[in-house]
């Protein structure tokens, strides 16, 4: 069966004058549950086919059209067939002539199937709402970031009072940080176009009050009002995200000074060593050791020693350039790594650090004191086979600086060079 005949099954015609039937086709008869058009023609009045409550309106509409007061128009009615089953029709009036006198021709289109399909869709959406409204997981449906559905948990996650407040947003892009929006748009398009079935990411979103919420988002395509849309299931993992960041920070930093720790610097050393070897860029390593630190602890107490370590860490950073690294290598020893820096430059920097730290006054409780540092500098050579070899040469230079009276910078002996 073609589409046209499917439609014509819902399409009937009747002509009447003062509701007395003058012509009816078979489809019209079937719509109202009659066996044939003849049964319609046998009716004294078509008003019998119209629900009692609608009859007055039908009569005045008829009179208005026939008298020329109203133009023929399209109307929608709910009708009942002979078996009491409701059906929905769209009627189109035409003024016509029947046997030389004016009459009204009505074309009826039964659109009950469409209404039934829509109801089914509404019911399935109703079920979806019932299932998701009480979910503790944030659930949202959107199409090209236009919000279509949002449950209470989602509104809570984003800091809105109600789902309605979220649905009022013109675009959900406003809850995505600007730098992530392009990626979000691309992901959405890939989903809608069926290039991927689903995706799952942990990403930053913006709450109503402007604070960050880290969300685990799983997305998949669903049909919403019969048209593809994206359903996002969201879980607030902000706390876990911060915990993880804190653990990562703790794993890589010294708790006393906040500087990189030895473990983290070892990784950086390995990377910078490889880069320098590959690209033949200069790399300098400086070991810095606070002079007479034992005495400081002994005279002013361990916490005064800690204060000196903290201050020297902060103040050394001020002298270094962007791209230089500083770590607490251990005890009262710091390691400075200067990528893309030749020995002459590194020597200047080392001396600047030494001078700057020597000028400082450490204050702890009633104590005020100053101290100096010694530094050993080594520049990477082709004979350094590992990062450890480079550090070992800087350590030798530091030893010489201590031997030669402290408060000075010494260069590593180029013992391996031929
Ligand atoms: N307050 C404090 N002291 C520390 C810390 N780590 C190491 N030390 C102390 O640093 C001191 C280092 O002493 P030494 O190795 O003899 O070195 P020094 O006294 O600086 O002597 P030179 O290096 O020859 O100038 C020791 O007393 C350690 O206990 C720390 O985190 N805090």
């Amino acid at each position: 069966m073609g589409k046209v005949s499917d439609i014509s099954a819902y399409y009937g015609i009747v002509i009447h004058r003062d509701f007395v039937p003058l012509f009816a086709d078979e489809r019209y008869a079937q719509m109202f549950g009659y066996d044939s058009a003849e049964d319609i023609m046998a009716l004294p009045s078509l008003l019998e086919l119209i629900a009692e409550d609608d009859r007055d309106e039908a009569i005045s509409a008829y009179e208005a059209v026939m008298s020329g007061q109203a133009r023929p128009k399209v109307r929608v009615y709910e009708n009942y067939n002979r078996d009491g089953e409701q059906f929905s029709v769209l009627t189109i009036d035409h003024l016509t002539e029947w046997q030389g006198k004016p009459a009204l021709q009505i074309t009826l289109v039964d659109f009950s199937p469409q209404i039934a399909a829509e109801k089914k869709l509404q019911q399935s959406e109703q079920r979806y709402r019932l299932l998701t409204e009480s979910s503790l997981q944030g659930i949202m449906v959107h199409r090209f970031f236009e919000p279509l559905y949002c449950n209470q948990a989602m509104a809570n996650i984003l800091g809105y009072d109600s789902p309605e407040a979220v649905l009022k947003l013109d675009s959900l892009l406003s809850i995505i940080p600007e730098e992530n929006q392009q990626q979000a748009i691309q992901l959405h398009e890939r989903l809608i176009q069926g290039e991927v079935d689903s995706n799952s990411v942990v990403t930053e979103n913006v709450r109503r009050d402007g604070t960050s919420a880290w969300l685990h988002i799983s997305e998949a395509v669903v049909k919403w009002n019969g048209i593809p849309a994206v359903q996002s299931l969201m879980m607030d993992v902000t706390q876990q995200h911060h915990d993880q960041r804190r653990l990562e920070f703790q794993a890589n930093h010294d708790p006393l000074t906040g500087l990189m720790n030895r473990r983290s610097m070892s990784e950086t050393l390995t990377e910078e060593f490889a880069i320098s070897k590959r690209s033949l860029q200069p790399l300098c390593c400086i070991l810095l050791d606070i002079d007479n630190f034992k005495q400081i602890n002994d005279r002013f107490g361990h916490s005064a020693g800690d204060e000196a370590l903290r201050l020297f860490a902060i103040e050394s950073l001020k002298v270094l350039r962007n791209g230089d690294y500083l770590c607490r290598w251990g005890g009262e020893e710091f390691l400075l790594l200067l990528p893309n820096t030749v020995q002459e430059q590194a020597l200047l920097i080392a001396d600047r650090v030494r001078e700057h730290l020597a000028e400082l006054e450490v204050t702890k409780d009633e104590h005020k004191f100053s101290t100096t540092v010694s530094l050993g500098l080594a520049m990477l050579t082709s004979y350094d086979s590992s990062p450890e070899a480079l550090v070992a040469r800087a350590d030798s230079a530091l030893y010489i600086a201590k031997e030669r009276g402290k408060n000075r910078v010494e260069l590593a002996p180029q013992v391996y060079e031929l």
Side-chain angles (χ1 to χ4, degrees):
M1 287 280 273
K3 243 187 168 166
V4 173
S5 35
D6 289 348
I7 288 169
S8 68
Y10 305 109
Y11 173 102
I13 292 176
V14 68
I15 299 175
H16 73 92
R17 189 180 300 123
D18 291 323
F19 296 93
V20 176
L22 305 171
F23 169 83
D25 70 2
E26 296 301 322
R27 300 269 183 252
Y28 182 85
Q30 282 158 18
M31 275 186 206
F32 285 91
Y34 287 82
D35 292 337
S36 74
E38 281 167 21
D39 295 334
I40 297 290
M41 297 303 286
L43 293 172
S45 169
L46 292 179
L47 285 171
E48 281 187 29
L49 302 177
I50 297 173
E52 238 170 277
D53 288 350
D54 293 339
R55 282 180 194 167
D56 285 348
E57 194 190 326
I59 291 167
S60 45
Y62 172 80
E63 283 169 357
V65 169
M66 295 307 281
S67 64
Q69 284 166 8
R71 297 173 126 240
K73 61 178 183 182
V74 176
R75 301 166 212 270
V76 173
Y77 291 110
E78 289 295 321
N79 279 344
Y80 291 88
N81 70 14
R82 247 179 153 188
D83 302 325
E85 288 163 0
Q86 195 178 8
F87 64 104
S88 310
V89 288
L90 184 105
T91 67
I92 306 155
D93 296 343
H94 319 259
L95 273 175
T96 187
E97 275 196 3
W98 189 261
Q99 293 171 346
K101 285 191 195 157
L104 193 66
Q105 176 182 326
I106 306 170
T107 306
L108 284 91
V109 182
D110 180 2
F111 63 95
S112 305
Q114 286 89 329
I115 297 247
E118 208 168 285
K119 264 193 189 141
K120 216 171 142 195
L121 203 64
Q122 275 170 4
Q123 278 165 358
S124 88
E125 276 172 16
Q126 199 63 33
R127 269 200 302 276
Y128 180 85
R129 282 170 201 276
L130 276 172
L131 278 171
T132 58
E133 249 154 33
S134 55
S135 165
L136 293 176
Q137 190 171 40
I139 301 175
M140 176 116 92
V141 178
H142 68 98
R143 190 178 298 122
F144 294 110
F145 302 97
E146 181 199 340
L148 303 169
Y149 172 75
C150 167
N151 72 350
Q152 184 63 49
M154 188 70 246
N156 295 347
I157 289 172
L158 295 174
Y160 289 81
D161 294 337
S162 65
E164 290 70 34
V166 177
L167 295 176
K168 273 189 197 146
L169 293 172
D170 287 338
S171 167
L172 292 174
L173 282 174
S174 61
I175 64 163
I176 300 174
E178 232 174 274
E179 62 272 22
N180 298 344
Q181 288 182 4
Q182 206 48 42
Q183 196 193 5
I185 292 168
Q186 278 169 5
L187 262 175
H188 186 85
E189 279 171 1
R190 293 185 68 204
L191 273 168
I192 290 274
Q193 281 161 13
E195 285 174 34
V196 285
D197 290 343
S198 60
N199 80 67
S200 181
V201 287
V202 172
T203 185
E204 189 183 1
N205 283 72
V206 186
R207 290 197 194 96
R208 192 178 182 201
D209 63 6
T211 56
S212 277
W214 285 86
L215 305 180
H216 180 277
I217 306 179
S218 307
E219 293 189 311
V221 174
V222 292
K223 283 234 169 136
W224 193 262
N225 278 334
I227 304 169
V230 167
Q231 172 187 263
S232 308
L233 306 180
M234 311 210 191
M235 251 163 51
D236 192 338
V237 291
T238 308
Q239 192 55 47
Q240 291 95 310
H241 176 81
H242 290 319
D243 289 350
Q244 200 177 329
R245 288 286 98 82
R246 201 176 50 243
L247 285 174
E248 276 170 17
F249 187 87
Q250 284 169 357
N252 292 317
H253 291 80
D254 166 46
L256 179 68
T257 60
L259 294 179
M260 288 169 81
N261 61 15
R262 185 172 184 142
R263 201 196 65 76
S264 173
M265 179 58 104
S266 297
E267 282 176 13
T268 305
L269 252 169
T270 305
E271 284 162 19
E272 292 297 335
F273 179 86
I275 292 171
S276 291
K277 284 275 176 185
R278 202 169 49 236
S279 58
L280 300 176
Q281 278 175 9
L283 176 69
C284 281
C285 171
I286 301 169
L287 268 176
L288 178 157
D289 187 283
I290 303 178
D291 295 328
N292 310 315
F293 199 62
K294 187 170 178 316
Q295 275 181 37
I296 292 171
N297 276 336
D298 293 346
R299 281 182 63 191
F300 308 113
H302 203 266
S303 58
D306 283 355
E307 186 52 36
L309 284 167
R310 258 195 300 267
L311 186 69
F312 277 26
I314 295 167
E315 294 297 323
S316 300
L317 280 174
K318 287 184 185 166
V319 179
L320 296 182
R321 308 154 307 175
N322 260 347
D324 292 340
Y325 299 95
L326 174 66
C327 88
R328 184 164 178 213
W329 192 243
E332 80 295 12
E333 207 168 59
F334 298 91
L335 190 145
L336 291 76
L337 190 66
L338 314 179
N340 209 4
T341 307
V342 292
Q343 187 169 280
E344 292 71 29
Q345 265 178 298
L347 201 54
L348 284 174
I349 293 166
D351 224 33
R352 218 178 291 150
V353 172
R354 184 189 61 75
E355 279 174 7
H356 181 61
L357 298 184
E359 285 165 5
L360 295 175
E361 190 168 64
V362 184
T363 311
K364 182 67 190 172
D365 304 326
E366 72 281 13
H367 306 299
K368 278 186 195 312
F369 59 92
S370 296
T371 189
T372 55
V373 295
S374 299
L375 304 99
L377 191 167
M379 186 171 90
L380 184 68
T381 70
S382 54
Y383 304 99
D384 293 317
S385 56
S386 66
E388 291 76 26
L390 175 68
V391 176
R393 286 198 303 111
D395 198 31
S396 304
L398 174 62
Y399 181 80
I400 296 168
K402 292 277 184 186
E403 285 289 296
R404 292 187 178 162
K406 307 181 182 176
N407 187 22
R408 54 193 292 125
V409 183
E410 287 294 337
L411 291 176
Q414 306 287 303
V415 286
Y416 304 108
E417 224 160 352
L418 293 173

